[in-house]
Amino acid sequence: DAGVIQSPRHEVTEMGQEVTLRCKPISGHNSLFWYRQTMMRGLELLIYFNNNVPIDDSGMPEDRFSAKMPNASFSTLKIQPSEPRDSAVYFCASIPGQGAFGELFFGEGSRLTVL
Amino acid sequence: AQKITQTQPGMFVQEKEAVTLDCTYDTSDQSYGLFWYKQPSSGEMIFLIYQGSYDEQNATEGRYSLNFQKARKSANLVISASQLGDSAMYFCALRNTPLVFGKGTRLSVIA
């Protein structure tokens, strides 16, 4: 079975450019999470969706960040305009349901470098 | 608010020996889950073991076991018979919804 698929795996861009990260959750999973990992702050939850609806976006750092989930099989995280401090690894993860206590299935991450 | 604390930034262990990675948590929820993930240098997040708050027995998965002490709010990971491939970052996480991660412990296994 295919796992959580993220693209691109690596992105290098210049400050001010728009960045779009993509995620395809595991089929049948109803909840999707976006995490950011940096050396300084560790793994931070940015936003999560249940049944395509954003439930908690309190972790989104500022208005430059936005996330959408137009359908059950696709989500995007957009940064516009990007800044060097946005450089991080961005993980997408999914689980079968919001109340499920099983493991979170992670994608391989998208490593973003903003110059 | 939910909180996870991993007090050991780095640990060293001799190959074939056992090692315990500490994790304490704070939550007011009665029902929750505790997870451990491994992140090797390649970057992926690998699920290791899960303990539910109502599970009476400590979880075990191969060489991994979770020493769950609910009254003390601790969920330490024990790795038996360490291998060189166990060198990685290890994250403890607490879940009601969503998953909250600790800062991690970097484990280095020495030959």
Side-chain angles (χ1 to χ4, degrees), chain A residues 17-21 64-66 77-83 86 90 112:
Chain A
Q17 296 298 305
E18 177 180 297
V19 173
T20 299
L21 308 179
R64 298 184 297 106
F65 285 69
S66 62
L77 178 68
K78 185 176 292 187
I79 309 172
Q80 167 64 20
S82 58
E83 296 182 2
D86 302 330
Y90 291 81
L112 173 65

mmCIF file of all heavy atoms in Angstrom, chain A residues 17-21 64-66 77-83 86 90 112:
data_model
loop_
_atom_site.group_PDB
_atom_site.id
_atom_site.type_symbol
_atom_site.label_atom_id
_atom_site.label_comp_id
_atom_site.label_asym_id
_atom_site.label_seq_id
_atom_site.Cartn_x
_atom_site.Cartn_y
_atom_site.Cartn_z
ATOM 1 N N GLN A 17 9.773 34.400 -2.728
ATOM 2 C CA GLN A 17 9.068 33.539 -3.674
ATOM 3 C C GLN A 17 7.964 32.757 -2.966
ATOM 4 O O GLN A 17 8.006 32.512 -1.750
ATOM 5 C CB GLN A 17 10.045 32.554 -4.325
ATOM 6 C CG GLN A 17 11.116 33.224 -5.179
ATOM 7 C CD GLN A 17 10.501 33.977 -6.340
ATOM 8 O OE1 GLN A 17 9.745 33.412 -7.137
ATOM 9 N NE2 GLN A 17 10.813 35.267 -6.453
ATOM 10 N N GLU A 18 6.990 32.340 -3.740
ATOM 11 C CA GLU A 18 5.918 31.502 -3.215
ATOM 12 C C GLU A 18 6.352 30.043 -3.238
ATOM 13 O O GLU A 18 6.975 29.585 -4.200
ATOM 14 C CB GLU A 18 4.658 31.675 -4.068
ATOM 15 C CG GLU A 18 3.503 30.783 -3.645
ATOM 16 C CD GLU A 18 2.276 31.002 -4.512
ATOM 17 O OE1 GLU A 18 1.733 32.116 -4.514
ATOM 18 O OE2 GLU A 18 1.850 30.036 -5.187
ATOM 19 N N VAL A 19 6.023 29.339 -2.176
ATOM 20 C CA VAL A 19 6.349 27.917 -2.073
ATOM 21 C C VAL A 19 5.059 27.144 -1.834
ATOM 22 O O VAL A 19 4.246 27.532 -0.986
ATOM 23 C CB VAL A 19 7.320 27.659 -0.898
ATOM 24 C CG1 VAL A 19 7.530 26.169 -0.693
ATOM 25 C CG2 VAL A 19 8.654 28.368 -1.143
ATOM 26 N N THR A 20 4.877 26.069 -2.550
ATOM 27 C CA THR A 20 3.718 25.194 -2.336
ATOM 28 C C THR A 20 4.190 23.774 -2.100
ATOM 29 O O THR A 20 4.877 23.195 -2.944
ATOM 30 C CB THR A 20 2.760 25.222 -3.544
ATOM 31 O OG1 THR A 20 2.270 26.554 -3.718
ATOM 32 C CG2 THR A 20 1.563 24.298 -3.279
ATOM 33 N N LEU A 21 3.836 23.246 -0.966
ATOM 34 C CA LEU A 21 4.145 21.861 -0.620
ATOM 35 C C LEU A 21 2.865 21.045 -0.730
ATOM 36 O O LEU A 21 1.788 21.518 -0.373
ATOM 37 C CB LEU A 21 4.707 21.781 0.806
ATOM 38 C CG LEU A 21 5.891 22.712 1.104
ATOM 39 C CD1 LEU A 21 6.335 22.567 2.552
ATOM 40 C CD2 LEU A 21 7.048 22.445 0.163
ATOM 41 N N ARG A 64 1.491 34.517 6.317
ATOM 42 C CA ARG A 64 2.181 34.084 5.097
ATOM 43 C C ARG A 64 1.949 32.607 4.823
ATOM 44 O O ARG A 64 2.183 32.125 3.728
ATOM 45 C CB ARG A 64 3.689 34.343 5.230
ATOM 46 C CG ARG A 64 4.068 35.790 5.401
ATOM 47 C CD ARG A 64 5.582 35.985 5.417
ATOM 48 N NE ARG A 64 6.205 35.309 6.556
ATOM 49 C CZ ARG A 64 6.916 34.185 6.463
ATOM 50 N NH1 ARG A 64 7.098 33.613 5.289
ATOM 51 N NH2 ARG A 64 7.452 33.649 7.544
ATOM 52 N N PHE A 65 1.498 31.894 5.845
ATOM 53 C CA PHE A 65 1.263 30.462 5.719
ATOM 54 C C PHE A 65 -0.226 30.206 5.527
ATOM 55 O O PHE A 65 -1.068 30.774 6.230
ATOM 56 C CB PHE A 65 1.720 29.718 6.979
ATOM 57 C CG PHE A 65 3.200 29.561 7.115
ATOM 58 C CD1 PHE A 65 4.014 30.650 7.354
ATOM 59 C CD2 PHE A 65 3.787 28.310 6.990
ATOM 60 C CE1 PHE A 65 5.390 30.505 7.483
ATOM 61 C CE2 PHE A 65 5.159 28.150 7.126
ATOM 62 C CZ PHE A 65 5.957 29.252 7.375
ATOM 63 N N SER A 66 -0.548 29.318 4.586
ATOM 64 C CA SER A 66 -1.926 28.905 4.410
ATOM 65 C C SER A 66 -1.955 27.443 4.004
ATOM 66 O O SER A 66 -1.021 26.943 3.381
ATOM 67 C CB SER A 66 -2.634 29.766 3.360
ATOM 68 O OG SER A 66 -2.018 29.617 2.100
ATOM 69 N N LEU A 77 0.271 23.081 1.473
ATOM 70 C CA LEU A 77 0.738 24.082 2.428
ATOM 71 C C LEU A 77 1.493 25.121 1.619
ATOM 72 O O LEU A 77 2.451 24.786 0.924
ATOM 73 C CB LEU A 77 1.652 23.438 3.481
ATOM 74 C CG LEU A 77 2.262 24.381 4.515
ATOM 75 C CD1 LEU A 77 1.185 24.940 5.430
ATOM 76 C CD2 LEU A 77 3.319 23.657 5.349
ATOM 77 N N LYS A 78 1.043 26.353 1.710
ATOM 78 C CA LYS A 78 1.612 27.409 0.890
ATOM 79 C C LYS A 78 2.256 28.465 1.768
ATOM 80 O O LYS A 78 1.706 28.839 2.820
ATOM 81 C CB LYS A 78 0.531 28.028 0.011
ATOM 82 C CG LYS A 78 1.025 29.061 -0.983
ATOM 83 C CD LYS A 78 -0.099 29.550 -1.873
ATOM 84 C CE LYS A 78 -0.576 28.474 -2.804
ATOM 85 N NZ LYS A 78 -1.566 28.977 -3.796
ATOM 86 N N ILE A 79 3.405 28.940 1.346
ATOM 87 C CA ILE A 79 4.098 30.023 2.035
ATOM 88 C C ILE A 79 4.313 31.137 1.010
ATOM 89 O O ILE A 79 4.935 30.920 -0.029
ATOM 90 C CB ILE A 79 5.460 29.578 2.603
ATOM 91 C CG1 ILE A 79 5.316 28.306 3.437
ATOM 92 C CG2 ILE A 79 6.066 30.699 3.450
ATOM 93 C CD1 ILE A 79 6.645 27.695 3.863
ATOM 94 N N GLN A 80 3.753 32.317 1.303
ATOM 95 C CA GLN A 80 3.845 33.424 0.380
ATOM 96 C C GLN A 80 3.816 34.735 1.134
ATOM 97 O O GLN A 80 2.786 35.032 1.772
ATOM 98 C CB GLN A 80 2.689 33.371 -0.639
ATOM 99 C CG GLN A 80 2.469 34.613 -1.461
ATOM 100 C CD GLN A 80 3.641 34.958 -2.370
ATOM 101 O OE1 GLN A 80 4.458 34.103 -2.672
ATOM 102 N NE2 GLN A 80 3.710 36.202 -2.787
ATOM 103 N N PRO A 81 4.884 35.535 1.089
ATOM 104 C CA PRO A 81 6.196 35.251 0.516
ATOM 105 C C PRO A 81 7.062 34.459 1.487
ATOM 106 O O PRO A 81 6.900 34.576 2.708
ATOM 107 C CB PRO A 81 6.766 36.655 0.311
ATOM 108 C CG PRO A 81 6.171 37.450 1.443
ATOM 109 C CD PRO A 81 4.790 36.882 1.661
ATOM 110 N N SER A 82 7.971 33.680 0.969
ATOM 111 C CA SER A 82 8.838 32.881 1.828
ATOM 112 C C SER A 82 9.980 33.726 2.394
ATOM 113 O O SER A 82 10.385 34.735 1.793
ATOM 114 C CB SER A 82 9.395 31.685 1.054
ATOM 115 O OG SER A 82 10.114 32.114 -0.081
ATOM 116 N N GLU A 83 10.475 33.311 3.569
ATOM 117 C CA GLU A 83 11.583 33.989 4.219
ATOM 118 C C GLU A 83 12.604 32.937 4.656
ATOM 119 O O GLU A 83 12.249 31.768 4.840
ATOM 120 C CB GLU A 83 11.082 34.761 5.444
ATOM 121 C CG GLU A 83 10.116 35.887 5.114
ATOM 122 C CD GLU A 83 9.683 36.666 6.342
ATOM 123 O OE1 GLU A 83 10.167 36.362 7.458
ATOM 124 O OE2 GLU A 83 8.850 37.595 6.176
ATOM 125 N N ASP A 86 11.862 30.348 7.288
ATOM 126 C CA ASP A 86 10.925 29.266 6.974
ATOM 127 C C ASP A 86 11.656 27.984 6.600
ATOM 128 O O ASP A 86 11.016 26.936 6.412
ATOM 129 C CB ASP A 86 10.006 29.672 5.822
ATOM 130 C CG ASP A 86 9.210 30.926 6.118
ATOM 131 O OD1 ASP A 86 8.913 31.170 7.310
ATOM 132 O OD2 ASP A 86 8.893 31.669 5.171
ATOM 133 N N TYR A 90 9.224 19.972 6.335
ATOM 134 C CA TYR A 90 7.780 19.987 6.543
ATOM 135 C C TYR A 90 7.248 18.575 6.329
ATOM 136 O O TYR A 90 7.445 17.977 5.272
ATOM 137 C CB TYR A 90 7.114 20.969 5.588
ATOM 138 C CG TYR A 90 7.460 22.410 5.915
ATOM 139 C CD1 TYR A 90 8.668 22.974 5.489
ATOM 140 C CD2 TYR A 90 6.601 23.204 6.676
ATOM 141 C CE1 TYR A 90 9.002 24.276 5.816
ATOM 142 C CE2 TYR A 90 6.929 24.513 7.006
ATOM 143 C CZ TYR A 90 8.138 25.034 6.571
ATOM 144 O OH TYR A 90 8.463 26.329 6.897
ATOM 145 N N LEU A 112 12.736 22.302 2.876
ATOM 146 C CA LEU A 112 12.677 23.624 2.248
ATOM 147 C C LEU A 112 13.864 24.458 2.693
ATOM 148 O O LEU A 112 14.145 24.576 3.883
ATOM 149 C CB LEU A 112 11.378 24.340 2.632
ATOM 150 C CG LEU A 112 11.248 25.800 2.193
ATOM 151 C CD1 LEU A 112 11.206 25.903 0.675
ATOM 152 C CD2 LEU A 112 10.022 26.455 2.808
#
